[in-house]
Amino acid sequence: QQQLVESGGGSVQAGGSLRLSCTASRDTDSDYCVAWFRQVPGKDREGVAAAWSGGSTTSYPDSVKGRFTISRDSAKNTVYLQMDSLKPEDTAMYYCATLPYGLRCFSLSASDYNYWGQGTQVTVSS
């Protein structure tokens, strides 16, 4: 199975920035879709960014648009989530997820993804 490892979480003051990393192990060079999600206790998992391996197309929900940026370093097989202007409501466990490229690519629905990392905690203080 695909293995994903997130890192880069931590505590930051409101208005600050963090960059999360997701490193993936892959057996082939096939295109794939990748996304970042977040979840807090008692709430549904929320997609915050989506991209794919073969181009610059991205997708963001209104809650983070203009503040979060997904990017990748193909040489390192790593996807990043740059989070700027962080707010206390951004506090959550953040996960990266992937699926083989197809019709569900760029989805921000957690049920569409089949490979998940262990998560990294982001805490934003006011």
Side-chain angles (χ1 to χ4, degrees):
Q1 292 186 346
Q2 178 77 63
Q3 293 181 315
L4 304 172
V5 179
E6 302 101 329
S7 63
S11 298
V12 65
Q13 191 175 15
S17 299
L18 285 173
R19 188 181 73 165
L20 307 183
S21 299
C22 174
T23 300
S25 62
R26 299 194 62 83
D27 295 328
T28 71
D29 293 326
S30 299
D31 287 334
Y32 62 93
C33 310
V34 61
W36 286 93
F37 292 83
R38 65 187 182 187
Q39 188 169 34
V40 298
K43 296 184 179 180
D44 294 333
R45 191 168 296 181
E46 177 190 22
V48 297
W52 76 300
S53 60
S56 59
T57 302
T58 57
S59 180
Y60 306 93
D62 290 340
S63 59
V64 307
K65 191 172 297 182
R67 299 189 298 118
F68 289 13
T69 304
I70 187 170
S71 62
R72 66 188 187 279
D73 185 335
S74 297
K76 296 182 178 180
N77 203 27
T78 299
V79 177
Y80 303 98
L81 182 67
Q82 179 67 43
M83 303 184 294
D84 298 317
S85 301
L86 283 164
K87 305 174 181 180
E89 51 262 45
D90 295 320
T91 295
M93 184 72 75
Y94 283 72
Y95 303 88
C96 65
T98 63
L99 57 82
Y101 180 76
L103 294 176
R104 295 185 177 91
C105 212
F106 308 110
S107 170
L108 294 174
S109 297
S111 62
D112 289 335
Y113 292 81
N114 52 351
Y115 299 113
W116 293 85
Q118 83 288 348
T120 185
Q121 178 68 38
V122 171
T123 302
V124 184
S125 60
S126 60

